[in-house]
Amino acid sequence: MSEPELNLTPTRPYLARAIYEWICDNNLTPYLLVDATQPYTDVPQQFVQDGQIVLNLAPHSVHMLNMSNDAITFSARFSGASKDLYIPMNAVLGLYARENGQGLFFDPDEYANVQIEEDALKSNKSDETEITTDAPKKKSSLRILE
């Protein structure tokens, strides 16, 4: 008797958020490798080479970074002009540290059997998990009250 096929969500968005946090916690520079040929991918085309682009996601380099299960969105400056970027998760090929190359590179076929709807890609961002990069992290501390 065969087991019913599970309809699991892809691991890519969860792993991308985790590796981004790990890279930033270690004071390294997160680089995002993107397949710029995927539908709905909005990146500055003048910097695309061989269908791919590498983007610097360092907290001081981007504004309003949002890593949801469907896409990564943020704004950044390119040649002095601000641009809003939209990268669907199926276009994310890897996330790694510039300084040592450590990170994760994803299976390009992970989304081959996942139904991606246009509405999901451009959905309302109110239910998305947001990683803000505007405020510096504060170190936690304990204080004994008497």
Side-chain angles (χ1 to χ4, degrees):
M1 185 173 184
S2 66
E3 301 217 5
E5 185 176 321
L6 295 176
N7 227 357
L8 299 176
T9 59
T11 58
R12 190 175 303 183
Y14 303 95
L15 295 173
R17 286 190 291 266
I19 202 68
Y20 175 82
E21 187 174 328
W22 177 84
I23 291 169
C24 290
D25 284 353
N26 284 283
N27 296 315
L28 300 171
T29 308
Y31 273 11
L32 182 70
L33 178 62
V34 176
D35 178 355
T37 66
Q38 290 296 318
Y40 309 110
T41 303
D42 188 8
V43 295
Q45 293 298 312
Q46 67 268 31
F47 300 106
V48 172
Q49 294 180 342
D50 299 323
Q52 297 180 346
I53 187 170
V54 176
L55 300 166
N56 180 347
L57 290 187
H60 62 273
S61 299
V62 298
H63 181 66
M64 299 291 292
L65 177 64
N66 186 348
M67 298 177 94
S68 75
N69 287 349
D70 297 321
I72 297 175
T73 60
F74 60 95
S75 63
R77 291 182 125 6
F78 296 89
S79 301
S82 183
K83 172 147 177 64
D84 292 331
L85 283 78
Y86 184 88
I87 299 112
M89 272 300 161
N90 64 319
V92 174
L93 298 176
L95 191 61
Y96 61 95
R98 178 193 70 193
E99 293 81 357
N100 61 15
Q102 288 187 330
L104 290 176
F105 294 88
F106 302 106
D107 177 8
D109 297 327
E110 180 180 16
Y111 280 82
N113 296 322
V114 176
Q115 181 72 22
I116 300 174
E117 297 181 18
E118 180 178 353
D119 293 341
L121 291 174
K122 297 288 185 176
S123 68
N124 183 353
K125 299 192 181 18
S126 62
D127 62 339
E128 296 176 349
T129 304
E130 185 170 325
I131 298 176
T132 58
T133 58
D134 295 335
K137 288 186 178 180
K138 291 183 181 178
K139 288 193 171 200
S140 60
S141 64
L142 294 176
R143 189 172 68 178
I144 298 175
L145 299 175
E146 295 183 36

